[in-house]
Amino acid sequence: MPSDIETHICGVAGLMGIANRSQDYRRMLRNPGDRDRIAIEAKYGLIFPDVHRGKRWSDWNQPGFYRDPNMPRAPRPIVGVFHTVFMTVGGTETWVRHFMKTMQNYLPVAGIAAIDGDRDASCPVPLGFGMKAAEALASVCDIAVCWGMCGEPMEAVRRHMRGGAIVHVHHGDTSSGWSRTVIEAGKQAGDAHVAVHPLVAEELGSTYIPNAVDSSRLPPVRHQTDRTTVLWMHRFSAEKYPELAVEACKMCPADWKFVFAGNNGIKWQDSVNAAEGDDRFSFILNGDPRTLLARADLFLSLADMEGFGYSVAEAAAAGVRVASCPVGIAADARVAHQIPNIDRNPSRIAEHMVIAVNEHDEAAEAQRFVLDRFGERAFIMSWEKLLMNEAKKAGFRA
């Protein structure tokens, strides 16, 4: 069995609590009818397809699918998106959905394959999980757009493409070890790089293509609120500082209210506990951004590292004033009231929030700036040009 597939199975078996039962584990690997193996395949897709059969490229995620070498090529290069983890919320997931939704009108986008992730995640095109899904998708692609991929999973995608172009999308901080590994591996292979932040693009020598705000996620109208409402809408993870945000909100005026929305991440319960006893706080699992932004007066972000900052961009595009650390899109003072990274004191953050709420004119200016600079048309044209050029360099001929 290929090492990457076995690694994936070990990880899933660990989640199911059977990884340490060596006899059960070996039985599961040998027997397609084993109940534990069936349970894994039901949740994560068919990991050991027993029948290889050719299907249309749009059916790549069907069990056992590999491209028929005699099948005619599509008239334009087929694009696939590859991801380490895909979840239902977050800026990167928003980018992936938006990329596939907009680009499939210009290039055939076969779908997304995630090495691991949320089985309930939804996309406008087929979505598959596990290395077998990644290999099957790679086998029908002329271009692979990869996020966070390196090591054996990346090499498996490269092998199964049988030629073609690979484009890495970089959203992160180039100082992190993980980011450096991804970047260096891509450079050694001669792959193309796209950065969503201009400074990262300059440092990497990458093509700069900023993200675009998805207009379908914006509220059609804003609603008047009876009390000043602060919205925090991110993953409940340590790098988003939800507990610090709760403590800062506690120090804001008594007649304000606070809505915290996001996934049930590792900091969810800690954040709920930090707000216990204060009825000004509401916690919402996920939530519709259109509804939440329509009733917000201030959007709060305390992350000290962002590649782009999708949630900040959406809030500004919706006409909501933003208070944010100066990272990602919020590094431009036209987008947000900036909270210096050194101000990690809740009382100082609360002071910045009060100032930001009163900056009504700045909110309107930020909205015009974001909608003009980060619209869908420029995003689509930039990506189509890049992908067609990379496909031609890799030898694609319609």
Side-chain angles (χ1 to χ4, degrees), residues 227-284:
R227 298 162 62 187
T228 297
T229 301
V230 176
L231 174 62
W232 184 98
M233 185 171 61
H234 308 276
R235 287 198 187 101
F236 279 87
S237 52
E239 70 273 11
K240 302 299 184 182
Y241 297 95
E243 295 163 282
L244 178 60
V246 170
E247 295 301 326
C249 289
K250 285 181 175 180
M251 298 184 177
C252 290
D255 61 341
W256 287 18
K257 62 181 180 181
F258 313 100
V259 177
F260 280 63
N263 71 320
N264 190 2
I266 60 172
K267 289 294 183 178
W268 166 270
Q269 193 58 53
D270 292 337
S271 304
V272 173
N273 293 344
E276 188 174 1
D278 193 330
D279 61 7
R280 297 178 297 167
F281 286 85
S282 299
F283 287 83
I284 300 172

Short mmCIF file of all heavy atoms in Angstrom, two decimals, residues 227-284:
data_model
loop_
_atom_site.label_atom_id
_atom_site.label_comp_id
_atom_site.label_asym_id
_atom_site.label_seq_id
_atom_site.Cartn_x
_atom_site.Cartn_y
_atom_site.Cartn_z
N ARG A 227 -29.37 48.77 19.66
CA ARG A 227 -28.17 48.95 20.49
C ARG A 227 -26.95 48.73 19.62
O ARG A 227 -26.98 47.97 18.66
CB ARG A 227 -28.16 47.93 21.64
CG ARG A 227 -29.32 48.06 22.61
CD ARG A 227 -29.49 46.78 23.42
NE ARG A 227 -28.33 46.48 24.24
CZ ARG A 227 -28.18 45.34 24.94
NH1 ARG A 227 -29.13 44.41 24.88
NH2 ARG A 227 -27.11 45.13 25.67
N THR A 228 -25.87 49.42 19.96
CA THR A 228 -24.62 49.22 19.22
C THR A 228 -24.24 47.75 19.28
O THR A 228 -24.12 47.17 20.37
CB THR A 228 -23.48 50.08 19.81
OG1 THR A 228 -23.82 51.45 19.66
CG2 THR A 228 -22.17 49.80 19.09
N THR A 229 -24.07 47.13 18.11
CA THR A 229 -23.82 45.69 18.03
C THR A 229 -22.44 45.44 17.45
O THR A 229 -22.11 45.92 16.36
CB THR A 229 -24.88 44.99 17.15
OG1 THR A 229 -26.17 45.23 17.71
CG2 THR A 229 -24.62 43.50 17.07
N VAL A 230 -21.64 44.69 18.19
CA VAL A 230 -20.29 44.32 17.75
C VAL A 230 -20.34 42.87 17.27
O VAL A 230 -20.88 41.99 17.96
CB VAL A 230 -19.27 44.45 18.90
CG1 VAL A 230 -17.89 43.96 18.45
CG2 VAL A 230 -19.20 45.89 19.39
N LEU A 231 -19.78 42.61 16.10
CA LEU A 231 -19.74 41.27 15.53
C LEU A 231 -18.31 40.77 15.47
O LEU A 231 -17.43 41.44 14.92
CB LEU A 231 -20.36 41.26 14.13
CG LEU A 231 -20.25 39.95 13.34
CD1 LEU A 231 -21.00 38.82 14.03
CD2 LEU A 231 -20.78 40.14 11.91
N TRP A 232 -18.08 39.60 16.04
CA TRP A 232 -16.81 38.86 15.90
C TRP A 232 -17.17 37.59 15.15
O TRP A 232 -17.95 36.78 15.64
CB TRP A 232 -16.24 38.56 17.28
CG TRP A 232 -14.89 37.88 17.30
CD1 TRP A 232 -13.67 38.46 17.47
CD2 TRP A 232 -14.63 36.46 17.18
NE1 TRP A 232 -12.67 37.51 17.46
CE2 TRP A 232 -13.23 36.28 17.28
CE3 TRP A 232 -15.44 35.35 16.99
CZ2 TRP A 232 -12.64 35.03 17.20
CZ3 TRP A 232 -14.85 34.09 16.90
CH2 TRP A 232 -13.46 33.94 17.01
N MET A 233 -16.62 37.39 13.96
CA MET A 233 -17.01 36.25 13.12
C MET A 233 -15.77 35.62 12.51
O MET A 233 -15.25 36.06 11.48
CB MET A 233 -17.98 36.71 12.02
CG MET A 233 -18.55 35.57 11.17
SD MET A 233 -19.88 36.13 10.06
CE MET A 233 -19.01 37.34 9.05
N HIS A 234 -15.25 34.60 13.18
CA HIS A 234 -14.02 33.94 12.77
C HIS A 234 -14.08 32.48 13.23
O HIS A 234 -15.05 32.04 13.84
CB HIS A 234 -12.79 34.59 13.42
CG HIS A 234 -12.71 36.07 13.25
ND1 HIS A 234 -12.18 36.67 12.12
CD2 HIS A 234 -13.09 37.08 14.06
CE1 HIS A 234 -12.22 37.98 12.26
NE2 HIS A 234 -12.77 38.26 13.42
N ARG A 235 -13.00 31.74 12.97
CA ARG A 235 -12.84 30.45 13.61
C ARG A 235 -12.56 30.66 15.10
O ARG A 235 -11.87 31.59 15.49
CB ARG A 235 -11.64 29.69 13.03
CG ARG A 235 -11.85 29.15 11.64
CD ARG A 235 -10.80 28.07 11.35
NE ARG A 235 -10.86 27.65 9.96
CZ ARG A 235 -10.02 28.06 9.01
NH1 ARG A 235 -9.07 28.91 9.30
NH2 ARG A 235 -10.14 27.63 7.79
N PHE A 236 -13.09 29.76 15.92
CA PHE A 236 -12.78 29.81 17.35
C PHE A 236 -11.47 29.06 17.58
O PHE A 236 -11.44 27.97 18.15
CB PHE A 236 -13.92 29.20 18.18
CG PHE A 236 -15.05 30.15 18.40
CD1 PHE A 236 -16.08 30.25 17.47
CD2 PHE A 236 -15.09 30.98 19.52
CE1 PHE A 236 -17.13 31.14 17.66
CE2 PHE A 236 -16.13 31.87 19.71
CZ PHE A 236 -17.15 31.95 18.79
N SER A 237 -10.38 29.66 17.13
CA SER A 237 -9.06 29.06 17.26
C SER A 237 -8.12 30.08 17.91
O SER A 237 -8.41 31.28 17.93
CB SER A 237 -8.52 28.62 15.90
OG SER A 237 -8.57 29.67 14.97
N ALA A 238 -7.00 29.58 18.43
CA ALA A 238 -6.12 30.42 19.23
C ALA A 238 -5.62 31.64 18.48
O ALA A 238 -5.51 32.74 19.05
CB ALA A 238 -4.95 29.58 19.74
N GLU A 239 -5.31 31.50 17.18
CA GLU A 239 -4.71 32.61 16.43
C GLU A 239 -5.70 33.74 16.15
O GLU A 239 -5.30 34.81 15.70
CB GLU A 239 -4.11 32.10 15.12
CG GLU A 239 -5.10 31.65 14.07
CD GLU A 239 -5.53 30.21 14.20
OE1 GLU A 239 -5.22 29.59 15.25
OE2 GLU A 239 -6.17 29.69 13.26
N LYS A 240 -6.99 33.49 16.44
CA LYS A 240 -8.01 34.54 16.27
C LYS A 240 -8.31 35.28 17.58
O LYS A 240 -9.08 36.23 17.58
CB LYS A 240 -9.30 33.95 15.70
CG LYS A 240 -9.12 33.23 14.37
CD LYS A 240 -8.63 34.16 13.27
CE LYS A 240 -8.56 33.42 11.93
NZ LYS A 240 -8.04 34.28 10.84
N TYR A 241 -7.75 34.80 18.69
CA TYR A 241 -7.87 35.44 20.00
C TYR A 241 -9.32 35.71 20.42
O TYR A 241 -9.67 36.83 20.81
CB TYR A 241 -7.08 36.76 20.02
CG TYR A 241 -5.60 36.58 19.83
CD1 TYR A 241 -5.03 36.71 18.56
CD2 TYR A 241 -4.76 36.25 20.89
CE1 TYR A 241 -3.66 36.53 18.37
CE2 TYR A 241 -3.40 36.07 20.71
CZ TYR A 241 -2.86 36.20 19.44
OH TYR A 241 -1.51 36.01 19.26
N PRO A 242 -10.19 34.71 20.40
CA PRO A 242 -11.58 34.95 20.80
C PRO A 242 -11.74 35.32 22.26
O PRO A 242 -12.61 36.16 22.61
CB PRO A 242 -12.28 33.62 20.47
CG PRO A 242 -11.19 32.60 20.48
CD PRO A 242 -9.98 33.30 19.97
N GLU A 243 -10.95 34.72 23.16
CA GLU A 243 -11.08 35.04 24.58
C GLU A 243 -10.66 36.48 24.86
O GLU A 243 -11.30 37.17 25.66
CB GLU A 243 -10.24 34.07 25.41
CG GLU A 243 -10.71 32.63 25.34
CD GLU A 243 -9.65 31.67 25.82
OE1 GLU A 243 -8.71 31.39 25.04
OE2 GLU A 243 -9.76 31.20 26.97
N LEU A 244 -9.61 36.94 24.19
CA LEU A 244 -9.19 38.33 24.34
C LEU A 244 -10.28 39.26 23.84
O LEU A 244 -10.56 40.31 24.43
CB LEU A 244 -7.89 38.57 23.58
CG LEU A 244 -7.33 40.00 23.58
CD1 LEU A 244 -7.04 40.46 25.00
CD2 LEU A 244 -6.07 40.09 22.71
N ALA A 245 -10.93 38.87 22.74
CA ALA A 245 -12.03 39.68 22.20
C ALA A 245 -13.18 39.76 23.20
O ALA A 245 -13.78 40.83 23.38
CB ALA A 245 -12.51 39.08 20.88
N VAL A 246 -13.49 38.65 23.88
CA VAL A 246 -14.54 38.66 24.90
C VAL A 246 -14.18 39.62 26.02
O VAL A 246 -15.01 40.44 26.46
CB VAL A 246 -14.79 37.24 25.45
CG1 VAL A 246 -15.70 37.29 26.68
CG2 VAL A 246 -15.41 36.35 24.38
N GLU A 247 -12.94 39.53 26.50
CA GLU A 247 -12.53 40.40 27.60
C GLU A 247 -12.57 41.87 27.20
O GLU A 247 -12.97 42.73 28.00
CB GLU A 247 -11.11 40.02 28.07
CG GLU A 247 -11.00 38.63 28.68
CD GLU A 247 -11.90 38.46 29.89
OE1 GLU A 247 -12.10 39.44 30.64
OE2 GLU A 247 -12.42 37.34 30.09
N ALA A 248 -12.19 42.18 25.97
CA ALA A 248 -12.24 43.57 25.50
C ALA A 248 -13.69 44.06 25.41
O ALA A 248 -14.00 45.19 25.80
CB ALA A 248 -11.56 43.68 24.14
N CYS A 249 -14.57 43.19 24.92
CA CYS A 249 -15.98 43.57 24.80
C CYS A 249 -16.60 43.86 26.16
O CYS A 249 -17.45 44.74 26.30
CB CYS A 249 -16.76 42.47 24.09
SG CYS A 249 -16.40 42.33 22.31
N LYS A 250 -16.19 43.11 27.16
CA LYS A 250 -16.72 43.33 28.51
C LYS A 250 -16.46 44.75 29.00
O LYS A 250 -17.21 45.27 29.84
CB LYS A 250 -16.09 42.34 29.50
CG LYS A 250 -16.60 40.92 29.41
CD LYS A 250 -15.90 40.08 30.46
CE LYS A 250 -16.44 38.67 30.52
NZ LYS A 250 -15.75 37.86 31.55
N MET A 251 -15.41 45.39 28.48
CA MET A 251 -15.02 46.72 28.93
C MET A 251 -15.63 47.84 28.09
O MET A 251 -15.35 49.00 28.31
CB MET A 251 -13.49 46.83 28.95
CG MET A 251 -12.85 45.86 29.91
SD MET A 251 -11.06 46.07 30.03
CE MET A 251 -10.67 44.85 31.28
N CYS A 252 -16.44 47.46 27.12
CA CYS A 252 -17.12 48.45 26.28
C CYS A 252 -18.36 48.97 27.01
O CYS A 252 -18.76 48.43 28.06
CB CYS A 252 -17.50 47.80 24.95
SG CYS A 252 -16.08 47.45 23.88
N PRO A 253 -18.99 50.02 26.50
CA PRO A 253 -20.19 50.59 27.17
C PRO A 253 -21.24 49.54 27.49
O PRO A 253 -21.44 48.57 26.74
CB PRO A 253 -20.69 51.61 26.15
CG PRO A 253 -19.45 52.05 25.44
CD PRO A 253 -18.59 50.83 25.33
N ALA A 254 -21.95 49.74 28.59
CA ALA A 254 -22.89 48.75 29.11
C ALA A 254 -24.07 48.49 28.20
O ALA A 254 -24.70 47.42 28.26
CB ALA A 254 -23.38 49.19 30.49
N ASP A 255 -24.42 49.45 27.33
CA ASP A 255 -25.58 49.27 26.47
C ASP A 255 -25.23 48.63 25.12
O ASP A 255 -26.09 48.53 24.25
CB ASP A 255 -26.30 50.60 26.24
CG ASP A 255 -25.41 51.64 25.56
OD1 ASP A 255 -24.17 51.47 25.59
OD2 ASP A 255 -25.95 52.62 25.01
N TRP A 256 -23.98 48.22 24.92
CA TRP A 256 -23.60 47.51 23.69
C TRP A 256 -23.96 46.03 23.82
O TRP A 256 -24.12 45.50 24.92
CB TRP A 256 -22.10 47.64 23.45
CG TRP A 256 -21.65 48.99 22.99
CD1 TRP A 256 -22.33 50.17 23.10
CD2 TRP A 256 -20.41 49.29 22.37
NE1 TRP A 256 -21.58 51.20 22.59
CE2 TRP A 256 -20.39 50.69 22.13
CE3 TRP A 256 -19.30 48.54 22.00
CZ2 TRP A 256 -19.31 51.34 21.53
CZ3 TRP A 256 -18.21 49.17 21.41
CH2 TRP A 256 -18.23 50.56 21.17
N LYS A 257 -24.06 45.36 22.67
CA LYS A 257 -24.22 43.91 22.68
C LYS A 257 -23.22 43.29 21.71
O LYS A 257 -22.75 43.95 20.78
CB LYS A 257 -25.64 43.50 22.35
CG LYS A 257 -26.16 43.90 20.98
CD LYS A 257 -27.61 43.45 20.81
CE LYS A 257 -28.16 43.84 19.46
NZ LYS A 257 -29.58 43.42 19.30
N PHE A 258 -22.94 42.01 21.92
CA PHE A 258 -21.83 41.37 21.21
C PHE A 258 -22.27 40.01 20.66
O PHE A 258 -22.84 39.19 21.38
CB PHE A 258 -20.64 41.20 22.15
CG PHE A 258 -20.34 42.44 22.94
CD1 PHE A 258 -20.76 42.57 24.26
CD2 PHE A 258 -19.68 43.51 22.35
CE1 PHE A 258 -20.51 43.72 24.97
CE2 PHE A 258 -19.43 44.67 23.05
CZ PHE A 258 -19.85 44.78 24.38
N VAL A 259 -22.00 39.81 19.38
CA VAL A 259 -22.33 38.55 18.71
C VAL A 259 -21.03 37.88 18.28
O VAL A 259 -20.24 38.46 17.53
CB VAL A 259 -23.23 38.79 17.49
CG1 VAL A 259 -23.51 37.47 16.77
CG2 VAL A 259 -24.54 39.47 17.90
N PHE A 260 -20.80 36.66 18.76
CA PHE A 260 -19.63 35.87 18.39
C PHE A 260 -20.13 34.69 17.56
O PHE A 260 -20.93 33.88 18.02
CB PHE A 260 -18.89 35.38 19.63
CG PHE A 260 -17.99 36.41 20.26
CD1 PHE A 260 -18.53 37.58 20.79
CD2 PHE A 260 -16.63 36.22 20.32
CE1 PHE A 260 -17.72 38.54 21.35
CE2 PHE A 260 -15.80 37.18 20.88
CZ PHE A 260 -16.34 38.36 21.40
N ALA A 261 -19.65 34.61 16.33
CA ALA A 261 -20.11 33.57 15.41
C ALA A 261 -18.91 32.86 14.79
O ALA A 261 -17.90 33.49 14.48
CB ALA A 261 -20.99 34.17 14.31
N GLY A 262 -19.04 31.57 14.60
CA GLY A 262 -17.96 30.80 13.98
C GLY A 262 -18.17 29.32 14.19
O GLY A 262 -19.23 28.88 14.63
N ASN A 263 -17.14 28.55 13.89
CA ASN A 263 -17.25 27.10 14.04
C ASN A 263 -16.99 26.71 15.49
O ASN A 263 -16.49 27.49 16.29
CB ASN A 263 -16.26 26.39 13.12
CG ASN A 263 -14.82 26.58 13.58
OD1 ASN A 263 -14.44 27.67 14.02
ND2 ASN A 263 -14.03 25.55 13.50
N ASN A 264 -17.35 25.48 15.80
CA ASN A 264 -17.14 24.97 17.15
C ASN A 264 -15.70 24.51 17.30
O ASN A 264 -15.40 23.33 17.41
CB ASN A 264 -18.10 23.81 17.42
CG ASN A 264 -18.12 23.38 18.87
OD1 ASN A 264 -17.44 23.98 19.69
ND2 ASN A 264 -18.87 22.34 19.17
N GLY A 265 -14.76 25.48 17.27
CA GLY A 265 -13.34 25.18 17.34
C GLY A 265 -12.87 24.97 18.76
O GLY A 265 -13.65 24.96 19.72
N ILE A 266 -11.55 24.81 18.90
CA ILE A 266 -10.99 24.45 20.21
C ILE A 266 -11.18 25.54 21.25
O ILE A 266 -11.12 25.28 22.45
CB ILE A 266 -9.49 24.09 20.08
CG1 ILE A 266 -8.70 25.29 19.54
CG2 ILE A 266 -9.29 22.88 19.19
CD1 ILE A 266 -7.20 25.06 19.57
N LYS A 267 -11.42 26.78 20.82
CA LYS A 267 -11.59 27.87 21.76
C LYS A 267 -13.06 28.26 21.96
O LYS A 267 -13.35 29.26 22.63
CB LYS A 267 -10.81 29.10 21.28
CG LYS A 267 -9.30 28.96 21.40
CD LYS A 267 -8.87 28.89 22.85
CE LYS A 267 -7.37 28.81 23.01
NZ LYS A 267 -6.96 28.80 24.43
N TRP A 268 -13.97 27.48 21.38
CA TRP A 268 -15.39 27.80 21.51
C TRP A 268 -15.82 27.82 22.98
O TRP A 268 -16.35 28.80 23.48
CB TRP A 268 -16.23 26.80 20.71
CG TRP A 268 -17.70 26.81 21.04
CD1 TRP A 268 -18.35 26.06 21.99
CD2 TRP A 268 -18.71 27.62 20.43
NE1 TRP A 268 -19.68 26.35 22.00
CE2 TRP A 268 -19.94 27.31 21.05
CE3 TRP A 268 -18.69 28.58 19.40
CZ2 TRP A 268 -21.14 27.91 20.70
CZ3 TRP A 268 -19.90 29.18 19.04
CH2 TRP A 268 -21.10 28.85 19.68
N GLN A 269 -15.61 26.70 23.68
CA GLN A 269 -16.08 26.60 25.06
C GLN A 269 -15.38 27.59 25.96
O GLN A 269 -16.00 28.19 26.86
CB GLN A 269 -15.90 25.17 25.58
CG GLN A 269 -16.66 24.92 26.89
CD GLN A 269 -18.15 25.16 26.75
OE1 GLN A 269 -18.80 24.62 25.86
NE2 GLN A 269 -18.71 26.00 27.63
N ASP A 270 -14.07 27.80 25.76
CA ASP A 270 -13.34 28.77 26.57
C ASP A 270 -13.93 30.17 26.40
O ASP A 270 -14.02 30.95 27.35
CB ASP A 270 -11.86 28.78 26.19
CG ASP A 270 -11.15 27.49 26.58
OD1 ASP A 270 -11.65 26.80 27.49
OD2 ASP A 270 -10.12 27.18 25.97
N SER A 271 -14.32 30.49 25.17
CA SER A 271 -14.89 31.81 24.89
C SER A 271 -16.26 31.96 25.54
O SER A 271 -16.58 33.01 26.13
CB SER A 271 -14.99 32.03 23.38
OG SER A 271 -13.73 31.87 22.77
N VAL A 272 -17.07 30.91 25.44
CA VAL A 272 -18.39 30.94 26.08
C VAL A 272 -18.23 31.10 27.59
O VAL A 272 -18.94 31.89 28.23
CB VAL A 272 -19.17 29.65 25.74
CG1 VAL A 272 -20.47 29.58 26.55
CG2 VAL A 272 -19.48 29.60 24.25
N ASN A 273 -17.28 30.37 28.17
CA ASN A 273 -17.05 30.46 29.61
C ASN A 273 -16.60 31.86 30.01
O ASN A 273 -16.99 32.37 31.07
CB ASN A 273 -16.00 29.43 30.04
CG ASN A 273 -16.49 28.01 29.90
OD1 ASN A 273 -17.69 27.75 29.77
ND2 ASN A 273 -15.57 27.05 29.90
N ALA A 274 -15.76 32.49 29.17
CA ALA A 274 -15.25 33.83 29.49
C ALA A 274 -16.36 34.86 29.53
O ALA A 274 -16.26 35.87 30.23
CB ALA A 274 -14.19 34.24 28.47
N ALA A 275 -17.45 34.62 28.78
CA ALA A 275 -18.58 35.57 28.73
C ALA A 275 -19.70 35.20 29.69
O ALA A 275 -20.72 35.91 29.74
CB ALA A 275 -19.13 35.63 27.31
N GLU A 276 -19.52 34.13 30.44
CA GLU A 276 -20.59 33.63 31.31
C GLU A 276 -21.05 34.71 32.29
O GLU A 276 -20.23 35.40 32.92
CB GLU A 276 -20.11 32.40 32.07
CG GLU A 276 -21.22 31.70 32.84
CD GLU A 276 -20.75 30.39 33.45
OE1 GLU A 276 -19.56 30.05 33.30
OE2 GLU A 276 -21.58 29.72 34.09
N GLY A 277 -22.36 34.84 32.41
CA GLY A 277 -22.93 35.80 33.35
C GLY A 277 -23.17 37.17 32.75
O GLY A 277 -23.78 38.03 33.40
N ASP A 278 -22.73 37.41 31.53
CA ASP A 278 -22.94 38.70 30.87
C ASP A 278 -23.93 38.49 29.74
O ASP A 278 -23.60 37.90 28.70
CB ASP A 278 -21.61 39.22 30.32
CG ASP A 278 -21.68 40.68 29.90
OD1 ASP A 278 -22.77 41.11 29.48
OD2 ASP A 278 -20.65 41.39 29.95
N ASP A 279 -25.19 38.97 29.93
CA ASP A 279 -26.23 38.69 28.96
C ASP A 279 -26.14 39.53 27.70
O ASP A 279 -27.00 39.44 26.81
CB ASP A 279 -27.61 38.84 29.59
CG ASP A 279 -27.88 40.26 30.11
OD1 ASP A 279 -27.04 41.15 29.86
OD2 ASP A 279 -28.92 40.46 30.75
N ARG A 280 -25.10 40.34 27.57
CA ARG A 280 -24.90 41.11 26.34
C ARG A 280 -24.32 40.24 25.23
O ARG A 280 -24.31 40.65 24.07
CB ARG A 280 -23.97 42.30 26.60
CG ARG A 280 -24.52 43.32 27.59
CD ARG A 280 -23.50 44.43 27.82
NE ARG A 280 -22.27 43.93 28.42
CZ ARG A 280 -21.12 44.62 28.51
NH1 ARG A 280 -21.06 45.85 28.01
NH2 ARG A 280 -20.08 44.10 29.10
N PHE A 281 -23.83 39.05 25.57
CA PHE A 281 -23.14 38.19 24.60
C PHE A 281 -24.08 37.15 24.02
O PHE A 281 -24.89 36.55 24.73
CB PHE A 281 -21.96 37.48 25.27
CG PHE A 281 -20.78 38.36 25.53
CD1 PHE A 281 -20.71 39.11 26.69
CD2 PHE A 281 -19.74 38.44 24.62
CE1 PHE A 281 -19.62 39.93 26.94
CE2 PHE A 281 -18.64 39.24 24.86
CZ PHE A 281 -18.58 40.00 26.03
N SER A 282 -23.94 36.91 22.70
CA SER A 282 -24.61 35.81 22.01
C SER A 282 -23.56 35.03 21.25
O SER A 282 -22.67 35.62 20.62
CB SER A 282 -25.66 36.33 21.03
OG SER A 282 -26.66 37.07 21.70
N PHE A 283 -23.65 33.70 21.29
CA PHE A 283 -22.72 32.84 20.56
C PHE A 283 -23.50 32.01 19.55
O PHE A 283 -24.50 31.38 19.90
CB PHE A 283 -21.96 31.93 21.53
CG PHE A 283 -20.92 32.66 22.35
CD1 PHE A 283 -21.29 33.34 23.50
CD2 PHE A 283 -19.60 32.70 21.94
CE1 PHE A 283 -20.35 34.03 24.25
CE2 PHE A 283 -18.65 33.39 22.66
CZ PHE A 283 -19.02 34.06 23.83
N ILE A 284 -23.04 32.04 18.31
CA ILE A 284 -23.75 31.38 17.21
C ILE A 284 -22.78 30.46 16.49
O ILE A 284 -21.68 30.87 16.08
CB ILE A 284 -24.30 32.42 16.21
CG1 ILE A 284 -25.28 33.36 16.91
CG2 ILE A 284 -24.97 31.72 15.02
CD1 ILE A 284 -25.73 34.52 16.05
#
